[in-house]
């Protein structure tokens, strides 16, 4: 994302590597020499780390805010082994996401 699409304020909207075919459709990724310097490579590494750290912080916060739902879901899974959509909708009724009460599972029905 950072190398191919830019996506960071610090590095700008610059593609540092060209888009290549996906290895998932039978094309083997090839090693290519990078077309940028060590300083840019270091900035890319920091940008990637920052994105991962921010995502981890958000996920951890969401899990902490919803600990009771997480525990109830774990208890249900231990008791029944599987949960269907209706079960998940009921369990997620009070789900807090980014500080707001939401249940995106209800929209699936």
């Amino acid at each position: 994302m950072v190398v191919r699409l830019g996506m960071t304020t610090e590095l700008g909207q610059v593609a540092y590597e060209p888009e290549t075919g996906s290895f998932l459709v039978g094309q083997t990724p090839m090693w290519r020499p990078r077309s940028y310097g060590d300083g840019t490579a270091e900035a890319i590494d920091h940008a990637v780390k920052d994105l991962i750290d921010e995502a981890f912080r958000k996920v951890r916060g969401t899990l902490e805010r919803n600990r009771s739902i997480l525990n109830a879901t774990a208890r249900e899974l231990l008791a029944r082994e599987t949960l269907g959509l209706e079960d998940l909708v009921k369990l997620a009724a009070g789900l807090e996401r980014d500080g707001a009460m939401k249940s995106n599972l209800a929209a699936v029905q």
Side-chain angles (χ1 to χ4, degrees):
M1 183 168 86
V2 172
V3 175
R4 292 193 181 141
L5 304 174
M7 306 297 287
T8 66
T9 305
E10 298 80 18
L11 294 168
Q13 303 304 312
V14 177
Y16 290 97
E17 287 184 4
E19 186 66 35
T20 58
S22 172
F23 67 94
L24 296 175
V25 291
Q27 297 179 2
T28 306
M30 295 177 58
W31 177 86
R32 296 177 191 227
R34 66 178 193 221
S35 59
Y36 46 85
D38 292 340
T40 301
E42 189 173 321
I44 290 168
D45 289 344
H46 287 292
V48 169
K49 182 183 181 314
D50 290 346
L51 287 169
I52 291 170
D53 288 347
E54 177 65 13
F56 179 81
R57 185 191 64 72
K58 285 181 178 180
V59 168
R60 185 177 187 129
T62 299
L63 290 172
E64 287 173 353
R65 283 191 307 276
N66 294 288
R67 182 62 149 183
S68 62
I69 295 172
L70 186 62
N71 289 339
T73 304
R75 283 191 301 275
E76 287 293 316
L77 284 170
L78 287 170
R80 298 174 30 203
E81 294 187 23
T82 60
L83 297 174
L85 178 61
E86 290 178 14
D87 302 316
L88 293 173
V89 169
K90 287 177 189 173
L91 286 163
L95 188 66
E96 288 187 40
R97 183 171 177 246
D98 295 335
M101 298 292 285
K102 294 182 182 176
S103 179
N104 292 333
L105 290 173
V108 176
Q109 291 182 326

